[in-house]
Amino acid sequence: MRSLHWFRQDLRLQDNPALTAAAAADEVLCVYVLDERNAGGWALGGASRWWLHHSLQALDRALDGRLVVCEGDPRELLPTLVEAHAIDAVHWNRCYEPWRIRRDAEIKRALSERGVDVSSHNGSLLWEPWSVTKADKTPYKVFTPFYRKGCLSAGAPRAPLAAPVLRTVLSDTGSDIDALGLLPAVPWASGFDAVGQPGEAGAHARLDAVRTRGLAHYASGRDRPAAETVTRLSPHLQFGELSPNQAWAMARALPDSDDVDRFCTELGWREFSHHLLFHWPSLPSENWQPKFNAMPWRDEPAMRRAWERGRTGIPIVDAGMRELWATGYMHNRVRMVVGSFLVKNLLQHWRHGAAWFHDTLVDASLANNSASWQWVAGSGADAAPFFRIFNPVTQGEKFDAEGEYTRRWVPELARLPNKHLFAPWLAPHTVLADAGVTLGVSYPHPIVDLAASRKAALDALANTKA
């Protein structure tokens, strides 16, 4: 008997339910298809493509060079491979993006009509979106009851699976990974290695480091961008080099603590984002709350360009955007700050920010990215209200009190004292001169007045309600 395992967002051997099922056959064909035809506007961004390139190389090595890599439409490629290799069964782990769901249903129907046994599995989520609903069978709209009443009451997630024994891995003349053209043409990604090592081995190295640290100070320290308390597991989870079940099992094997609970809650937020995308497939493109359709957004490309390049004149915002550009990653607290600044202080539509993050984050997830941007904009499910506008000065003072993070990414302000670091436009001229800072020359003036732009945002919201 021969089976085909279709790798997607599960680039690993351990705890891979679909691969484990496929391995029951005597011979297995392992396939990855780069599908940019069906993805449309949600094709992988530049940073994700970089990570995928290296992750595929790692997976191919783990399979002794027998990973079949193709580029094109799986609706055409998979039936061809099935016929060429006389495949009896096809297995894959489910994805939850709307375009993938539509495509996968077509593939399953076409292969089944040919007499092929097609099975999909859950290798990406702790709980399936359709299995966590309210008593009336409708989907949750608020995180806390979703997680506490829905997820936790549904029972513990399944235990991770060991890597299966693949008796014979078939080979085929697929594309060379380099031929996919995933790497950027310019050396933009030279600093991405700082985020982590793509591939299953890199994921487990990161997980082992988290386990060794025991999640110490995770609950209290994860809001501080200069602290080494975040896990940086997100790209490994996004590409499936690590399963959420493995992350959950690691945490629950530690002694109970607020840190463990907070880590598991963050995995719960990942589940909630996929829950929202599954039940509301328009989440990436439309306001979840229709009342925001009347919001008078501005269209100011120059403002957005300054934001993208970390040249807003607001130090904590610029630090975050420069970290993103240099590393393909941004600390979660800073993501909220820069998001609030774009949407509320600059009054730019949240879709602009979501598109930039989609292109520049190595952990870009359609579910997480869409839900998070709608959260910060106030237009999403269980969102922060629009009138909650992060003040980037006080955010910097509170969460980067010593300025370590800001000085790292905005070195032209490094000599400013902490008192003036987060609002250099308020510093006396002598203080700026002593620090070698000339506003408008060595560092920009703020592109907006924070107080005035906050008032403009609240006025816009009031007019929308009216």
Side-chain angles (χ1 to χ4, degrees), residues 5-8 10-12 16 30-32 59 63 67:
H5 172 66
W6 180 17
F7 280 102
R8 295 120 68 81
D10 58 338
L11 305 182
R12 64 183 185 273
N16 190 322
C30 295
V31 179
Y32 178 87
L59 180 61
L63 292 170
L67 176 65

Side-chain angles (χ1 to χ4, degrees), residues 17 203 236 321 329:
H236 300 297
M321 299 308 295
Y329 179 86

Side-chain angles (χ1 to χ4, degrees), residues 182-199:
L182 294 169
L183 295 178
V186 296
W188 163 46
S190 59
F192 287 9
D193 288 335
V195 179
Q197 174 193 343

Side-chain angles (χ1 to χ4, degrees), residues 4-24 28-32 59 62-63 67 90-95 119-125 158-166 200 204 236 239-246:
L4 183 153
H5 172 66
W6 180 17
F7 280 102
R8 295 120 68 81
Q9 293 168 328
D10 58 338
L11 305 182
R12 64 183 185 273
L13 303 185
Q14 295 182 42
D15 195 36
N16 190 322
L19 182 62
T20 297
V28 181
L29 184 68
C30 295
V31 179
Y32 178 87
L59 180 61
L63 292 170
L67 176 65
V90 173
H91 296 270
W92 65 67
N93 289 307
R94 287 184 282 276
C95 298
S119 300
S120 62
H121 307 260
N122 177 13
S124 300
L125 295 176
R158 63 167 178 78
L161 304 169
V165 175
L166 301 174
E200 187 172 14
H204 281 277
H236 300 297
F239 285 92
E241 302 160 347
L242 182 76
S243 76
N245 300 75
Q246 291 170 307

